[in-house]
Amino acid sequence: MNKTIDAIIAGAGSGTRLGHFIPKAFVPIGGEPLLSYSLTAFCSHPQINSVILVVSADMLNQAKDFVSGNNDFKDRVIVTTGGDERWKSVQNGISLSTNEWVLIHDAARPFVSHEVINSLLEKRSEFECAITVTPEVDTIRTIDGDKCGVTVDRSKLLRVGTPQLFKRELIASAFDQIEKMDAPPTDEAALIESQGIAVGYAWGDPINFKITTKSDLKIAEALLERRDEKMRLGGR
């Protein structure tokens, strides 16, 4: 199979809201650093060429040691440092890719699956950029001062996640426009959209949620325990 896709994993974010003094990607969960789960998913995918892991400068050596000590990662993963903003970290990662397409993923979403990756890759024939989304299931309201505003039609809303898919040359050139913007984009797809380029979407999985708070971490640990229990019972 001709592999024309690289994966960029952004792992330079802070872990303070999780109650840790190390970057979020290195917070232990299920006996492994958080980043290991995303690395496993992308390294084991048959269409991914290289995985580029972007970490903070003070964790560079630790990340390199972790990757070199894992047979599943050491020949597939490139480790580099990030910038002082997320988009700069992603830009650093993309600068090391030479493939036609890149997937950008948050290390804080450890439950990415091959099914989600595949659903996104199918969009390459239609779009130069596509994102993974899940339906909005909660009732959403606006606010009006100190009282509730109107209820928003949730059937027209989607929750945006990662991974996100880009033509590499397209996203690389789009970064040059950020300095001209009033504020950095909320994600790379918003940057592409600001250039007048259509963004497609593929259905993700609500389980692939972003770990941000201590409560999220507890939920993720419970999911991993349940998964390990099912594996011990032979998948029953």
Side-chain angles (χ1 to χ4, degrees), residues 179-218:
E179 300 293 350
K180 303 175 185 177
M181 301 173 69
D182 293 334
T186 53
D187 65 6
E188 290 72 37
L191 173 61
I192 292 297
E193 200 166 35
S194 73
Q195 309 300 308
I197 299 169
V199 175
Y201 71 86
W203 292 112
D205 185 343
I207 294 296
N208 184 32
F209 65 96
K210 187 175 183 179
I211 297 178
T212 303
T213 66
K214 293 180 181 179
S215 296
D216 295 333
L217 193 61
K218 289 180 180 178

Side-chain angles (χ1 to χ4, degrees), residues 32-231:
E32 297 288 342
L34 188 58
L35 59 83
S36 69
Y37 298 97
S38 295
L39 289 178
T40 296
F42 286 104
C43 285
S44 61
H45 193 283
Q47 294 189 61
I48 303 299
N49 181 52
S50 294
V51 179
I52 302 166
L53 173 63
V54 187
V55 299
S56 58
D58 58 345
M59 299 301 289
L60 179 63
N61 289 336
Q62 184 170 331
K64 286 184 174 180
D65 289 343
F66 176 74
V67 166
S68 64
N70 187 306
N71 289 333
D72 294 328
F73 301 158
K74 64 182 182 180
D75 296 325
R76 301 286 304 281
V77 180
I78 302 166
V79 183
T80 189
T81 55
D84 54 3
E85 296 183 66
R86 175 197 157 84
W87 72 266
K88 292 181 180 178
S89 295
V90 174
Q91 185 182 40
N92 287 355
I94 288 174
S95 70
L96 298 177
S97 172
T98 58
N99 271 300
E100 182 181 5
W101 295 89
V102 292
L103 289 166
I104 299 172
H105 184 64
D106 295 323
R109 296 181 185 270
F111 297 111
V112 60
S113 65
H114 284 193
E115 289 76 17
V116 168
I117 296 170
N118 290 340
S119 71
L120 196 54
L121 295 182
E122 289 174 0
K123 297 297 178 178
R124 286 175 293 173
S125 61
E126 304 172 64
F127 297 96
E128 295 179 298
C129 169
I131 60 178
T132 46
V133 300
T134 53
E136 178 53 71
V137 296
D138 293 323
T139 296
I140 303 295
R141 281 181 175 265
T142 62
I143 57 172
D144 182 8
D146 60 354
K147 65 181 185 295
C148 288
V150 299
T151 299
V152 180
D153 182 0
R154 67 186 177 196
S155 69
K156 297 180 180 179
L157 300 177
L158 296 170
R159 288 181 176 269
V160 177
T162 66
Q164 298 183 355
L165 173 72
F166 302 86
K167 269 284 185 72
R168 181 184 58 80
E169 290 185 356
L170 178 68
I171 185 63
S173 62
F175 280 123
D176 295 336
Q177 305 301 314
I178 291 183
E179 300 293 350
K180 303 175 185 177
M181 301 173 69
D182 293 334
T186 53
D187 65 6
E188 290 72 37
L191 173 61
I192 292 297
E193 200 166 35
S194 73
Q195 309 300 308
I197 299 169
V199 175
Y201 71 86
W203 292 112
D205 185 343
I207 294 296
N208 184 32
F209 65 96
K210 187 175 183 179
I211 297 178
T212 303
T213 66
K214 293 180 181 179
S215 296
D216 295 333
L217 193 61
K218 289 180 180 178
I219 293 170
E221 288 172 338
L223 288 170
L224 285 173
E225 288 176 4
R226 176 57 178 160
R227 185 190 69 179
D228 292 344
E229 181 182 358
K230 290 180 68 174
M231 290 178 64

